[in-house]
Amino acid sequence: HDDNPMHTDAAFAAQGRFGACVVHGMLVGSLFGAIVGQRFPGAIYLSQTLEFSKPVYVGETVVATIEVESVRASGRMLQFATRCTNQQGDIAISGSARALLPRAAGRDPG
């Protein structure tokens, strides 16, 4: 229910800091969890940090990427660097995420 007019009212947004409607930052940030879920089916998304550097405008093309930074000894806990760039190639959102991969089928649960 974030109905901030910066996201929904073009006339209002035109008078604001960004000059046009911007996408909800959390909506863009949700792309990282989607990538983890697609790349690692069954993973549990544990945490995420986000830093909003540039606005993402309505209708703008963005590219979201994740990169594994570390893997715990168990091989199941992954730490990711996350980044979303706008269509000019500028970083709009950066941060980190952590996910727990599912146990491999047939593996001892310990």
Side-chain angles (χ1 to χ4, degrees), residues 58-77:
V58 173
E60 186 172 28
T61 299
V62 296
V63 175
T65 58
I66 65 170
E67 181 180 342
V68 176
E69 288 188 308
S70 66
V71 180
R72 273 215 192 141
S74 69
R76 294 184 55 220
M77 183 73 68

Side-chain angles (χ1 to χ4, degrees), residues 56-102:
V56 172
Y57 294 98
V58 173
E60 186 172 28
T61 299
V62 296
V63 175
T65 58
I66 65 170
E67 181 180 342
V68 176
E69 288 188 308
S70 66
V71 180
R72 273 215 192 141
S74 69
R76 294 184 55 220
M77 183 73 68
L78 302 180
Q79 181 76 30
F80 300 96
T82 58
R83 182 175 52 257
C84 186
T85 56
N86 62 21
Q87 57 194 35
Q88 290 78 35
D90 298 326
I91 295 175
I93 299 176
S94 61
S96 63
R98 196 166 44 111
L100 179 65
L101 301 184

Side-chain angles (χ1 to χ4, degrees), residues 6 13-22 54-55 57:
M6 289 300 297
Q15 303 303 313
R17 175 181 187 159
F18 304 120
C21 286
V22 295
K54 299 263 184 185
Y57 294 98

